[in-house]
Amino acid sequence: MRTIDHWLTSPWRRSAVAALAGALPVLAFPAPALWWFAYVALVPWILLARSAPTGRRAAYDGWSGGFGFLVAVHHWLLPSLHVFIFLIAALLGALWAPWGWLVRRFLGERPTPGRGAAALLVLPSAWLMVELVRSWQGLGGPWGMLGASQWQVSPALRLASVGGVWLLSFLVVAVNVAAAVLLSVREARVPAVASLVATAAATSAAWVWAPHPQVDGRVRIAVVQPGIVDGQGSGDERFAREEQLTRQLAGRHVDLVVWGESSVGFDLGDRPDLTRRIAALSRTTGADVLVNVDAHRSDLPGIYKSSVLVGPDGLTGYRYDKMRLVPFGEYIPARSLLGWATSVGRAAPEDRRRGTEQVVMNAGHGLRIGPLICFETAFPDMSRHLAEDGADVLLGQSSTSSFQGSWAPEQHASLAALRAAETGRPMVHATLTGVSAVYGPSGERLGPWLGTDASTAHVYDVPLAHGITPYVRFGDWPVHGALLVLAALCATEGGRALRLRRNGPAPLAPPARTVHGSPARPGR
């Protein structure tokens, strides 16, 4: 142990170890999908920050670990962002600096049982604040939230219906803190065990209390995944392939056909011939077709990514323009300063324009659908609002064509399970090149995943449910609770500092007395 401590006295070596420790949780996400590892993955990082000689060094350990975490969960962006991925990770990694400081504040040296117990509440709350800040779409959005690693665990999905992915993140961090305390803080082991028991009891009660979605109908939804189509003229070739696959759905009694993101590379207002061809497909299949247009609009300036519903008579009038754009991928922040990014990566040569409001569409057959585009499926608030607005089915249209062979397609497909469980609504994740997936109203997987090697059209029997989950009803209450915990901490620490300043240190000797018996004053 002394050898390790001596080796870690080098700031650079210690930062490297912290970065590696911070990267460990990535193994809990797809493609490795070692969901159980999430419950211990933070322990090395916590133990390192706990052992920091000073609070400042613990903050650096938090920062370095955050850098490693962000690079790991976004490593598939390296071909697109190049050096920017490290710059962004270095900037956003600073969000974990206060978390590292708090680890040492509550678990460092020889903590009392009270401090150890408080850590099980404070540290998960501080982690939620990091996830809240980096969830802003301008900072890259909520990709890689720790609770999202539990997308395939049925009890966890049930808890997601109570408090969303936020509640799962809180619980995962709390278990990691308890494990670290059991390993290294003998004085706080009893409260750690008690807290684990209390957490297990509370989550079990929530699991029992949370209402099961009551299935009250079924629809048949077809996902059309054309596969990789590259080269000059790929837009026309992709459309022809999607058209061919959709024709195969004739006689399958589908209620809706869904194409992936950027499935149409031309504005349908400029190409009435394409509109007529899609309308013919609608008549052939007996269902409306939800396509996704990525092109300059004919009625407005600029490029939009839009979900457009086409029926047997042509455009239905339903259109949703993507609201939350991918930094660098769909627009460049501060383009006047960072526009040179287009020369070193695959950054957007022209900024896309933003939509202004979410849309629930009537797709016929009594079916109301709520579209989301690409990484909007990572935002729990967007799917929650669609459920509040009456959507029967959530629809994510995505591509991930640029990230074939990476972990990105699997990670993206897994997010739909959480959105379904949170809202009690089934969700369809339709892509151009895989992975496409469909989930029921409890987040359970329906039918096969369509992998990155598939070029096919597949029909899914999708159960419908219309109950209101606690998460839809009460929103992000775990975040609000975490804010209260941290506000109470700040008030307590501030009051303690004020009392110390007011009382001050005791004088070392009584003040000198003058001949008149009064204490001497400075300057007299």
Side-chain angles (χ1 to χ4, degrees):
M1 183 62 72
R2 290 181 179 178
T3 303
I4 294 175
D5 289 341
H6 178 74
W7 191 79
L8 290 176
T9 55
S10 166
W12 291 106
R13 283 198 292 261
R14 189 179 182 95
S15 295
V17 171
L20 290 174
L24 289 177
V26 74
L27 298 176
F29 295 91
L34 304 176
W35 63 265
W36 51 267
F37 184 62
Y39 294 95
V40 294
L42 298 180
V43 171
W45 190 2
I46 293 171
L47 294 181
L48 183 68
R50 174 186 177 271
S51 69
T54 64
R56 175 179 292 185
R57 181 62 248 182
Y60 281 126
D61 291 342
W63 190 340
S64 301
F67 171 83
F69 178 82
L70 291 172
V71 170
V73 298
H74 294 94
H75 70 276
W76 44 273
L77 285 172
L78 188 58
S80 297
L81 296 184
H82 292 275
V83 67
F84 274 94
I85 184 64
F86 300 105
L87 175 61
I88 293 170
L91 292 173
L92 295 185
L95 294 173
W96 275 274
W99 184 79
W101 182 88
L102 286 171
V103 169
R104 185 182 184 277
R105 168 70 178 81
F106 283 89
L107 298 181
E109 298 175 345
R110 297 177 64 86
T112 63
R115 279 169 55 196
L120 292 161
L121 191 61
V122 171
L123 297 183
S125 297
W127 185 281
L128 280 199
M129 291 305 99
V130 175
E131 292 198 338
L132 176 66
V133 173
R134 73 182 187 90
S135 291
W136 180 48
Q137 67 93 19
L139 296 179
W143 191 278
M145 294 177 71
L146 199 57
S149 64
Q150 305 303 296
W151 66 276
Q152 58 184 325
V153 183
S154 295
L157 291 173
R158 187 80 176 279
L159 292 176
S161 74
V162 176
V165 69
W166 307 103
L167 179 59
L168 300 184
S169 288
F170 186 96
L171 293 175
V172 169
V173 177
V175 172
N176 274 275
V177 173
V181 169
L182 289 173
L183 284 174
S184 62
V185 186
R186 179 178 301 176
E187 295 81 2
R189 284 176 180 171
V190 171
V193 172
S195 297
L196 279 175
V197 173
T199 299
T203 53
S204 298
W207 186 86
V208 171
W209 166 75
H212 283 282
Q214 298 298 315
V215 174
D216 53 16
R218 289 186 176 273
V219 292
R220 288 169 61 82
I221 297 178
V223 172
V224 174
Q225 180 177 299
I228 297 176
V229 180
D230 290 326
Q232 190 173 7
S234 59
D236 289 313
E237 291 180 22
R238 181 181 299 110
F239 188 93
R241 179 60 177 157
E242 290 162 333
E243 192 175 29
Q244 176 190 6
L245 292 170
T246 304
R247 284 199 197 100
Q248 298 174 7
L249 298 170
R252 301 287 300 277
H253 305 291
V254 296
D255 298 296
L256 179 69
V257 179
V258 186
W259 293 7
E261 178 190 12
S262 304
S263 49
V264 179
F266 313 94
D267 185 76
L268 295 178
D270 280 338
R271 294 290 302 272
D273 58 316
L274 297 183
T275 303
R276 288 192 293 270
R277 288 164 68 179
I278 300 171
L281 293 173
S282 177
R283 292 191 294 272
T284 299
T285 60
D288 288 357
V289 182
L290 185 71
V291 302
N292 190 273
V293 176
D294 185 2
H296 283 89
R297 285 185 61 162
S298 57
D299 57 339
L300 291 173
I303 301 176
Y304 287 80
K305 280 194 176 181
S306 307
S307 300
V308 178
L309 190 65
V310 182
D313 299 321
L315 297 174
T316 64
Y318 286 111
R319 180 187 189 113
Y320 166 65
D321 297 321
K322 186 177 183 182
M323 297 171 61
R324 296 182 182 174
L325 304 177
V326 180
F328 294 96
E330 293 170 335
Y331 77 101
I332 296 181
R335 182 176 283 272
S336 60
L337 295 175
L338 301 176
W340 56 272
T342 58
S343 63
V344 298
R346 294 194 289 242
E350 180 180 349
D351 290 349
R352 266 63 172 175
R353 303 296 181 92
R354 300 179 191 276
T356 57
E357 61 181 358
Q358 293 186 261
V359 176
V360 174
M361 304 176 179
N362 186 345
H365 305 282
L367 179 63
R368 291 170 58 83
I369 59 175
L372 299 164
I373 302 174
C374 191
F375 96 138
E376 289 182 332
T377 63
F379 292 86
D381 65 304
M382 296 193 74
S383 54
R384 174 173 167 254
H385 291 151
L386 288 172
E388 287 179 319
D389 291 341
D392 301 313
V393 177
L394 305 175
L395 292 168
Q397 294 176 298
S398 183
S399 175
T400 61
S401 302
S402 301
F403 308 109
Q404 301 296 289
S406 74
W407 293 353
E410 287 82 2
Q411 284 188 29
H412 202 175
S414 71
L415 296 175
L418 287 159
R419 305 292 86 85
E422 289 167 343
T423 59
R425 300 292 185 272
M427 182 158 185
V428 176
H429 180 75
T431 72
L432 288 183
T433 58
V435 171
S436 297
V438 179
Y439 301 91
S442 295
E444 73 279 14
R445 199 169 100 180
L446 303 175
W449 275 21
L450 305 183
T452 54
D453 58 346
S455 177
T456 187
H458 192 86
V459 179
Y460 294 85
D461 289 304
V462 181
L464 301 179
H466 295 90
I468 303 298
T469 65
Y471 176 68
V472 170
R473 186 181 302 276
F474 301 113
D476 301 330
W477 62 265
V479 175
H480 303 151
L483 283 169
L484 289 175
V485 168
L486 296 179
L489 172 65
C490 291
T492 302
E493 293 292 318
R496 178 173 174 272
L498 185 61
R499 286 193 301 272
L500 288 175
R501 180 179 298 178
R502 183 178 300 165
N503 295 335
L508 297 178
R513 313 293 287 187
T514 67
V515 293
H516 300 289
S518 300
R521 297 181 182 178
R524 292 288 181 93

